[in-house]
PDB file of all heavy atoms in Angstrom:
ATOM      1  N   LEU N  26     117.486 119.475 133.870  1.00 92.00           N
ATOM      2  CA  LEU N  26     117.255 120.292 135.062  1.00 92.00           C
ATOM      3  C   LEU N  26     116.068 119.767 135.871  1.00 92.00           C
ATOM      4  O   LEU N  26     116.112 119.763 137.098  1.00 92.00           O
ATOM      5  CB  LEU N  26     117.023 121.755 134.684  1.00 92.00           C
ATOM      6  CG  LEU N  26     118.253 122.531 134.225  1.00 92.00           C
ATOM      7  CD1 LEU N  26     117.869 123.942 133.790  1.00 92.00           C
ATOM      8  CD2 LEU N  26     119.299 122.581 135.327  1.00 92.00           C
ATOM      9  N   ILE N  80     120.186  95.408 144.506  1.00 80.00           N
ATOM     10  CA  ILE N  80     119.169  96.350 144.039  1.00 80.00           C
ATOM     11  C   ILE N  80     119.840  97.612 143.506  1.00 80.00           C
ATOM     12  O   ILE N  80     119.407  98.174 142.499  1.00 80.00           O
ATOM     13  CB  ILE N  80     118.171  96.672 145.167  1.00 80.00           C
ATOM     14  CG1 ILE N  80     117.406  95.404 145.559  1.00 80.00           C
ATOM     15  CG2 ILE N  80     117.208  97.767 144.740  1.00 80.00           C
ATOM     16  CD1 ILE N  80     116.633  95.539 146.854  1.00 80.00           C
ATOM     17  N   LYS N  97     119.077 108.927 122.849  1.00 82.00           N
ATOM     18  CA  LYS N  97     119.001 108.438 121.466  1.00 82.00           C
ATOM     19  C   LYS N  97     117.671 108.729 120.780  1.00 82.00           C
ATOM     20  O   LYS N  97     117.613 108.801 119.563  1.00 82.00           O
ATOM     21  CB  LYS N  97     119.275 106.939 121.427  1.00 82.00           C
ATOM     22  CG  LYS N  97     120.727 106.601 121.691  1.00 82.00           C
ATOM     23  CD  LYS N  97     120.989 105.149 121.355  1.00 82.00           C
ATOM     24  CE  LYS N  97     122.444 104.818 121.538  1.00 82.00           C
ATOM     25  NZ  LYS N  97     123.252 105.138 120.378  1.00 82.00           N
ATOM     26  N   VAL N 109     110.094 110.447 131.635  1.00 93.00           N
ATOM     27  CA  VAL N 109     111.380 109.748 131.680  1.00 93.00           C
ATOM     28  C   VAL N 109     112.378 110.487 132.576  1.00 93.00           C
ATOM     29  O   VAL N 109     113.043 109.865 133.414  1.00 93.00           O
ATOM     30  CB  VAL N 109     111.963 109.531 130.263  1.00 93.00           C
ATOM     31  CG1 VAL N 109     113.380 108.970 130.331  1.00 93.00           C
ATOM     32  CG2 VAL N 109     111.077 108.597 129.452  1.00 93.00           C
ATOM     33  N   LEU N 112     111.454 110.096 136.191  1.00 96.00           N
ATOM     34  CA  LEU N 112     111.822 108.742 136.603  1.00 96.00           C
ATOM     35  C   LEU N 112     113.324 108.648 136.877  1.00 96.00           C
ATOM     36  O   LEU N 112     113.748 108.053 137.872  1.00 96.00           O
ATOM     37  CB  LEU N 112     111.400 107.748 135.528  1.00 96.00           C
ATOM     38  CG  LEU N 112     111.613 106.270 135.783  1.00 96.00           C
ATOM     39  CD1 LEU N 112     110.904 105.815 137.046  1.00 96.00           C
ATOM     40  CD2 LEU N 112     111.129 105.468 134.594  1.00 96.00           C
ATOM     41  N   LEU N 120     118.675 105.647 144.530  1.00 94.00           N
ATOM     42  CA  LEU N 120     119.964 104.961 144.367  1.00 94.00           C
ATOM     43  C   LEU N 120     121.028 105.579 145.273  1.00 94.00           C
ATOM     44  O   LEU N 120     121.823 104.861 145.890  1.00 94.00           O
ATOM     45  CB  LEU N 120     120.421 105.007 142.903  1.00 94.00           C
ATOM     46  CG  LEU N 120     121.769 104.352 142.595  1.00 94.00           C
ATOM     47  CD1 LEU N 120     121.768 102.869 142.957  1.00 94.00           C
ATOM     48  CD2 LEU N 120     122.113 104.545 141.116  1.00 94.00           C
ATOM     49  N   PHE N 143     106.584 105.195 152.220  1.00 95.00           N
ATOM     50  CA  PHE N 143     107.203 105.583 150.958  1.00 95.00           C
ATOM     51  C   PHE N 143     107.710 107.012 151.029  1.00 95.00           C
ATOM     52  O   PHE N 143     107.658 107.643 152.088  1.00 95.00           O
ATOM     53  CB  PHE N 143     106.214 105.379 149.791  1.00 95.00           C
ATOM     54  CG  PHE N 143     104.903 106.109 149.949  1.00 95.00           C
ATOM     55  CD1 PHE N 143     104.696 107.354 149.364  1.00 95.00           C
ATOM     56  CD2 PHE N 143     103.870 105.538 150.678  1.00 95.00           C
ATOM     57  CE1 PHE N 143     103.492 108.012 149.509  1.00 95.00           C
ATOM     58  CE2 PHE N 143     102.653 106.186 150.819  1.00 95.00           C
ATOM     59  CZ  PHE N 143     102.468 107.434 150.234  1.00 95.00           C
ATOM     60  N   ILE N 148     106.742 108.336 144.820  1.00 96.00           N
ATOM     61  CA  ILE N 148     105.560 108.926 144.182  1.00 96.00           C
ATOM     62  C   ILE N 148     105.892 109.306 142.740  1.00 96.00           C
ATOM     63  O   ILE N 148     105.123 109.016 141.818  1.00 96.00           O
ATOM     64  CB  ILE N 148     105.067 110.156 144.976  1.00 96.00           C
ATOM     65  CG1 ILE N 148     104.555 109.743 146.354  1.00 96.00           C
ATOM     66  CG2 ILE N 148     103.987 110.913 144.193  1.00 96.00           C
ATOM     67  CD1 ILE N 148     104.306 110.904 147.305  1.00 96.00           C
ATOM     68  N   ARG N 165     100.566 107.184 122.288  1.00 81.00           N
ATOM     69  CA  ARG N 165     100.918 108.611 122.332  1.00 81.00           C
ATOM     70  C   ARG N 165     102.273 108.891 122.969  1.00 81.00           C
ATOM     71  O   ARG N 165     102.556 110.027 123.323  1.00 81.00           O
ATOM     72  CB  ARG N 165      99.837 109.384 123.079  1.00 81.00           C
ATOM     73  CG  ARG N 165      98.519 109.314 122.358  1.00 81.00           C
ATOM     74  CD  ARG N 165      97.479 110.086 123.057  1.00 81.00           C
ATOM     75  NE  ARG N 165      96.236 109.987 122.304  1.00 81.00           N
ATOM     76  CZ  ARG N 165      95.185 110.692 122.548  1.00 81.00           C
ATOM     77  NH1 ARG N 165      95.192 111.558 123.529  1.00 81.00           N
ATOM     78  NH2 ARG N 165      94.099 110.546 121.827  1.00 81.00           N
ATOM     79  N   SER N 177     108.273 119.941 115.561  1.00 52.00           N
ATOM     80  CA  SER N 177     107.407 120.559 116.555  1.00 52.00           C
ATOM     81  C   SER N 177     108.222 121.518 117.410  1.00 52.00           C
ATOM     82  O   SER N 177     109.439 121.569 117.346  1.00 52.00           O
ATOM     83  CB  SER N 177     106.765 119.482 117.426  1.00 52.00           C
ATOM     84  OG  SER N 177     107.741 118.906 118.244  1.00 52.00           O
TER      85      SER N 177
END
Side-chain angles (χ1 to χ4, degrees):
L26 287 176
I80 296 167
K97 288 192 177 275
V109 173
L112 183 58
L120 179 60
F143 56 96
I148 294 169
R165 296 181 180 190
S177 70

